[in-house]
Amino acid sequence: MKKRTSIIFGLLFAVIVIGGLLSTFLLGRGEGTVAVISVDGEVLERIDLSKVRKPYDIDISTEYGHNTVHVEKGAISVSEADCPDKVCMYQGRLTGSGIPIICMPHRLVIEIEGGDIDA
Amino acid sequence: MPKTRKLTLMALLTAIALTVFVIENQIPAPVPVPGVKLGLANIVTLITMKLLGKREAGAVLLVRVLMGSMFAGSPSTLLFSAAGGLLAYLVMCLTAGVFEENQLWIVSALAGVAHNAGQLAACVFVVKTPGVFAYAPVLAASGVITGVFTGLAAQYLLKALKKTKF
């Protein structure tokens, strides 16, 4: 009985891990070109990445902290942040909709809108 | 167990949990996903629950979360770890009696998922952007992985502690 529950839960956990990673992989490939930068739920910038000709940087400074957002054709990323964890920088370039870049300490979210969300 | 011994043990466990928490915070995240961490301090919560009881584990967790964000974080860290910690604690309390001693990894994995769910909910509440829920699948996966790891660690630690007639 005891061994049985262990096996059942082991399988359940394996399904969660594989399913979670797989769906994240699929989710991150949504189409869409409009990037939305928001802090605290308020939209600060809305940029159509397909219309960007020359790469440029945007400074986002709020009461929570400072981030530099790098905008280029078809991609957006955080190039600098004064938060301690720098997770937003390590998240790299966002090229499609699905999974947003978050900087939790600064309440900054960068999403790409549109495309098929249900992947 | 005498009252003084219990109090001393709780203080000791809280100090260990805090130290582990602060040290883990200094290590950069292994994967670029916000909210993913090993949660090593969870080992102490599990051990406390098994050695002393549920209420004692709750007390150790509460003090660790409060002091942890004082030492190594910001007010937002407090909200995230409180939301995650509380949910994980509730799941631990509900499941700790159901499974046996060497199934602690199951309890821990369930608690890990609960922790990440609480943290994600707090995050969505803070940034007010529902799109952040896209992190749910990967956080569920990481909750299981780190939960099994810390659960096994707690399990072997308990075994070793009992051998020493702790």
Side-chain angles (χ1 to χ4, degrees):
Chain A
M1 197 57 204
K2 202 192 84 195
K3 205 170 177 187
R4 198 133 122 262
T5 47
S6 286
I7 293 171
I8 291 171
F9 274 94
L11 285 175
L12 177 73
F13 292 151
V15 168
I16 294 177
V17 170
I18 295 168
L21 297 180
L22 201 68
S23 59
T24 303
F25 174 69
L26 293 173
L27 208 64
R29 297 198 304 177
E31 310 259 316
T33 54
V34 180
V36 180
I37 304 172
S38 48
V39 172
D40 231 352
E42 261 175 72
V43 175
L44 297 183
E45 301 266 354
R46 202 178 279 272
I47 309 155
D48 190 341
L49 296 177
S50 62
K51 290 186 184 135
V52 175
R53 298 244 168 116
K54 244 168 89 185
Y56 62 95
D57 289 334
I58 306 173
D59 281 325
I60 308 276
S61 286
T62 63
E63 55 186 301
Y64 307 112
H66 173 84
N67 295 73
T68 305
V69 178
H70 185 67
V71 182
E72 54 198 302
K73 189 173 170 63
I76 189 163
S77 56
V78 177
S79 53
E80 240 183 273
D82 61 0
C83 57
D85 59 10
K86 310 257 189 271
V87 169
C88 51
M89 286 166 62
Y90 299 137
Q91 278 178 270
R93 287 153 33 117
L94 195 63
T95 53
S97 60
I99 298 183
I101 293 178
I102 322 175
C103 176
M104 278 206 293
H106 297 171
R107 307 191 178 183
L108 172 84
V109 177
I110 304 173
E111 284 179 288
I112 293 188
E113 279 185 340
D116 56 327
I117 310 156
D118 45 57
Chain B
M1 190 181 290
K3 225 177 166 183
T4 325
R5 181 173 158 80
K6 195 173 175 183
L7 198 63
T8 317
L9 264 178
M10 279 172 73
L12 189 64
L13 286 163
T14 309
I16 296 170
L18 253 176
T19 314
V20 169
F21 181 80
V22 171
I23 291 175
E24 195 188 343
N25 251 325
Q26 307 302 314
I27 305 168
V31 279
V33 179
V36 171
K37 57 183 272 184
L38 264 173
L40 292 173
N42 179 47
I43 298 174
V44 180
T45 314
L46 281 167
I47 296 267
T48 312
M49 191 172 277
K50 281 289 174 190
L51 286 179
L52 301 174
K54 286 174 185 170
R55 277 178 46 204
E56 288 75 7
V60 169
L61 176 71
L62 190 69
V63 176
R64 190 258 293 170
V65 165
L66 283 176
M67 294 183 77
S69 47
M70 260 189 252
F71 288 146
S74 51
S76 61
T77 324
L78 175 65
L79 180 68
F80 298 132
S81 40
L86 184 72
L87 217 57
Y89 173 68
L90 288 177
V91 168
M92 259 185 227
C93 284
L94 289 174
T95 56
V98 180
F99 298 102
E100 290 174 49
E101 199 105 295
N102 58 354
Q103 289 181 319
L104 204 55
W105 60 275
I106 299 177
V107 174
S108 178
L110 293 173
V113 174
H115 178 275
N116 284 357
Q119 208 171 38
L120 184 64
C123 176
V124 172
F125 175 74
V126 165
V127 300
K128 301 180 191 78
T129 315
V132 174
F133 272 126
Y135 278 102
V138 71
L139 284 178
S142 101
V144 166
I145 296 169
T146 60
V148 168
F149 176 76
T150 54
L152 284 175
Q155 215 169 289
Y156 288 119
L157 195 55
L158 271 175
K159 225 190 219 168
L161 277 175
K162 280 187 178 153
K163 256 186 208 156
T164 60
K165 293 189 191 130
F166 174 74

